[in-house]
Amino acid sequence: MQKGKEPANGPSDGATPKAAVGRLSLYLRHLEALQRAGQETISSTQLGRALEITDAQVRKDLTYFGQFGYPGVGYRVQELRDALRALFGTNRTWQVALVGAGNLGRALLGYRGFRSHGFAIGAVFDSDPKLHGKHLHGVEVYDVARLPELARTLGLALAVLAVPAESAQSAADIIVDAGIVGILNFAPVQLRVPDVVAVVSVDLGLQLEQLAFLVNQRTATSTADSPSTP
Amino acid sequence: MQKGKEPANGPSDGATPKAAVGRLSLYLRHLEALQRAGQETISSTQLGRALEITDAQVRKDLTYFGQFGYPGVGYRVQELRDALRALFGTNRTWQVALVGAGNLGRALLGYRGFRSHGFAIGAVFDSDPKLHGKHLHGVEVYDVARLPELARTLGLALAVLAVPAESAQSAADIIVDAGIVGILNFAPVQLRVPDVVAVVSVDLGLQLEQLAFLVNQRTATSTADSPSTP
């Protein structure tokens, strides 16, 4: 479903279905939890149950990425976790540029889920001169014009775009010019970027809509079950 | 893939696969754009192309929801849009409780994508007494203790949970006690809620991880394509 939101990027070369990528994230989450709990091996059936998918789907997903279970053992938790981390590139820390130091940008700076997943916000960029040189959550705020220079010197590989809708495209253009090839976009607009740049959009209105659908469906189900229905 | 993140909720009664719900949101987005552009009908092939899925999948999805195309015509844009809006319940405005008036909460208050999708934040709740009675983006901030009372009088049907991880479960308990049956959760924790309550979690670390995967994959592909590889 991400695909439809990124018309500018075209299909992802047919290499990896995005739904499978989404499942890989969930495998990794689960394996990290198992690792913390000290569990050493896991079967495809157990992995499937945790993710509410079939064990056949688990085996297909993992075979696709060159991971095979051991007969009578299943998958080795640490080995599979390390392989998935390498796939995601989260076996190292990615340096991330945060573009936009408004409420959303500040909320993201304080978000602990980034660091624990292998992402560090290395610099903040904002067009407001009053913020330049200030530190937010220990990270310095720079003029957006300095993004190309700092992307090089600080090794910023990804950008989080947290600016208002009307500034999003021009900010994305600067990010692309800086040679950054991945954008996490929070602005409710579709960005036009070259094919080499990956965009993942977080559409908060869509998330709320999904919730409304689930609530609607449950309400409809409980009404249908009511004995007052003839 | 949402399923695996909501173990407390169990499977969604087998009624609607969540991936299909995700596609319905994208159909609705596309139909709204067509409606604005004045297009009156659309074929399953065109809809499929827009969402990068097969026309057979489009027909299957829409038949499932009781929508059938007209021979030689396709789907009527307005009719299909209205049917989807009714399914999502976004043919009316949902009143939403925002719990948490920190940076993330304030960013969400200013987010225009909610209102345009049929959601209005009717009240803000925060534990900080200094904020009580204040207005943020025109919406009053109340003590969290008043949530049950105001959920009734203001008709708050959904809640957006934007509090720190350590306060998320206790805030969710209050939301559930208030009779609210849908929670959009931004805290990086898995909430324990009764089966009747729907939870959609926005895991921002996971979104960034998906982006890193795409960037990693493209980098690997371009390396493999390089003529320097023997």
Side-chain angles (χ1 to χ4, degrees), chain A residues 24 36 49 53 70 73 90 110 117 140 147 159 162 180 182 187 191 198 211 224 228:
Chain A
L24 291 183
R36 282 192 298 273
R49 202 173 299 139
I53 56 177
Y70 299 92
V73 174
T90 49
H117 290 174
E140 187 163 351
L147 184 51
I180 290 174
L191 301 176
L211 178 63
S228 68

Side-chain angles (χ1 to χ4, degrees), chain A residues 1 3 16 21 25-26 29 87-89 103-104 107 111-112 117 166 195 204-205 209-210 216-218, chain B residues 1 16 21 25-26 29 52 87-89 104 107 111-112 117 166 195 204-205 209-210 216-218:
Chain A
M1 55 175 272
K3 275 192 168 182
T16 317
V21 184
S25 270
L26 299 179
R29 265 325 142 276
L87 266 177
F88 280 111
N103 281 318
L104 179 59
Y111 183 74
R112 275 168 286 172
H117 290 174
E166 60 271 19
D195 281 350
L204 300 175
E209 196 174 85
Q210 302 279 302
N216 240 8
Q217 197 182 38
R218 283 166 198 223
Chain B
M1 57 174 271
T16 316
V21 183
S25 270
L26 299 179
R29 266 323 143 277
E52 296 185 24
L87 265 178
F88 281 111
L104 179 59
Y111 183 74
R112 274 168 285 174
H117 290 174
E166 60 272 20
D195 281 350
L204 300 175
E209 197 174 82
Q210 302 280 301
N216 241 7
Q217 196 181 38
R218 284 168 198 221

